[in-house]
Amino acid sequence: GNLASLGDAAGLAVKAIARRLEDPNRHVRSAAAEALRGLSVAEVWGRTPGAVARDAVPELVARLADEDPRVRRDARAPLQALRDAGCIGDLGAAVAPAVPEIGRRLRDEDWHLREAAARAIGVLGAVAAPVIPRLIEAVADDSHHVRKAAKAALEILCSSRDAEDLRAFGAGAAFHLQSKLRSADWRGG
């Protein structure tokens, strides 16, 4: 079955599943993200996500920078579907609290987490505007994987209908990026 078939009880189910997203066992976190993924189909949310979606999306967003790639993948797929359908903007207020944590992950020691954070920002679109300066800095990251993910995320953001608004957030990062790219120890890739 589908969580949507639970009707009003789905909101309670989302909260219970969301608690499992904090489980130390990556298999449990991945299964919880997969369960929340069941709410992402158009028949459930339509163009305007309801209360159940408003509970599920912030939990999925928070998992976009999970240490386990399977959990990240399971969280990214429904959010990408919503963004592609033009629905994620309707949830901006619900998603916003998770954005600073994703921004912090752009400076994590583990390049896998930095790469995941960059990809997550591309999925979120305009909602992630406050962390765009860090994303721009990530274009000059020491890791080829992070640079590639940051570049891809910026391409997605710049092609969105909110591109003009987003450009203003990146102006402050230009100096840092320019000095990093001129550094003798930086290697392109």
Side-chain angles (χ1 to χ4, degrees):
N2 182 316
L3 284 176
S5 66
L6 295 174
D8 293 338
L12 296 174
V14 167
K15 288 179 174 108
I17 293 167
R19 284 192 298 273
R20 294 295 180 204
L21 290 168
E22 297 295 329
D23 196 282
N25 184 320
R26 67 177 170 80
H27 297 293
V28 173
R29 290 193 315 275
S30 186
E34 180 63 30
L36 291 177
R37 183 182 198 178
L39 291 170
S40 68
V41 294
E43 300 82 51
V44 176
W45 288 11
R47 292 288 295 173
T48 306
V52 172
R54 289 187 213 297
D55 288 340
V57 167
E59 300 299 339
L60 289 168
V61 168
R63 296 296 128 349
L64 288 174
D66 192 275
E67 60 193 39
D68 185 86
R70 289 168 286 229
V71 175
R72 293 190 305 258
R73 180 196 63 228
D74 290 341
R76 186 173 46 246
L79 292 169
Q80 183 70 45
L82 286 171
R83 191 180 67 74
D84 291 347
C87 297
I88 201 79
D90 298 337
L91 293 164
V95 169
V99 171
E101 178 58 29
I102 292 172
R104 282 189 288 279
R105 293 287 182 138
L106 283 170
R107 293 188 175 150
D108 197 278
E109 289 182 17
D110 183 347
W111 71 264
H112 293 95
L113 295 179
R114 294 193 311 272
E115 177 189 26
R119 290 182 189 281
I121 293 167
V123 170
L124 294 177
V127 175
V131 297
I132 287 178
R134 286 189 184 177
L135 181 65
I136 292 170
E137 291 171 8
V139 172
D141 193 274
D142 292 334
S143 166
H144 155 75
H145 300 285
V146 176
R147 291 193 306 268
K148 186 175 174 181
K151 181 179 179 273
L154 285 168
E155 287 172 350
I156 291 168
L157 294 172
C158 288
S159 68
S160 77
R161 62 179 172 257
D162 303 311
E164 284 302 314
D165 296 331
L166 295 172
R167 286 189 184 110
F169 283 91
F175 177 75
H176 170 79
L177 179 61
Q178 186 177 27
S179 63
K180 180 80 171 179
L181 292 174
R182 287 185 179 153
S183 170
D185 59 35
W186 189 81
R187 294 180 259 307

